[in-house]
Amino acid sequence: MPSHFGRFLRIPRPCAPAAASRSALGSASAPAPAPAAARRLLSAAPSPRMTGGEQQIYTKLSRELRPTKLTVSDASGGCGSMYVVEIEAECFRGLTRVKQTKMVNNLLKEEIKDMHGMRVLCSVPPEQ
């Protein structure tokens, strides 16, 4: 595959302005949020509709990083081989995206052993 191939497949980051307008508390002009199965925002406990793998990842990241927003989705259709994690946490402030992602990967290293892949999208909450 040519080395320039990747520049044609850009995927927007969750903290980009367009993605930020998708928040659950967005304005009336913001697009409708994704279905609940695809986007789960942080709450006191994991949703009962989450798969076992989603619950395990959600609980571990919630406990260790105390995120302001957290989404865990099984992108493999329920078999647990591929996950998408979107996380916004204050502890990421001042760190590069690579270090943020490594922090998440280190916390989930046991879970990652049983996966085909995991997409991690990290962001920092806006300053108030």
Side-chain angles (χ1 to χ4, degrees), residues 12-59:
R13 294 279 186 181
C15 60
S21 66
R22 292 187 315 209
S23 75
L25 302 174
S27 66
S29 63
R39 184 155 182 86
R40 295 182 178 102
L41 295 178
L42 185 64
S43 63
S47 165
R49 289 176 284 180
M50 286 183 168
T51 65
E54 287 173 330
Q55 287 180 356
Q56 184 177 0
I57 292 169
Y58 184 98
T59 302

Side-chain angles (χ1 to χ4, degrees), residues 38-88:
R39 184 155 182 86
R40 295 182 178 102
L41 295 178
L42 185 64
S43 63
S47 165
R49 289 176 284 180
M50 286 183 168
T51 65
E54 287 173 330
Q55 287 180 356
Q56 184 177 0
I57 292 169
Y58 184 98
T59 302
K60 193 168 202 176
L61 291 176
S62 296
R63 184 179 60 236
E64 298 294 327
L65 299 179
R66 304 209 185 267
T68 53
K69 291 183 184 172
L70 178 59
T71 303
V72 179
S73 301
D74 186 340
S76 62
C79 72
S81 65
M82 178 72 182
Y83 290 93
V84 177
V85 175
E86 295 180 55
I87 183 167
E88 178 183 276

Side-chain angles (χ1 to χ4, degrees), residues 101-118:
T101 303
K102 282 184 178 181
M103 184 183 288
V104 173
N105 288 344
N106 284 336
L107 286 172
L108 299 175
K109 66 179 139 190
E110 289 302 314
E111 291 81 359
I112 290 173
K113 290 178 183 178
D114 298 326
M115 294 180 201
H116 174 70
M118 183 173 69

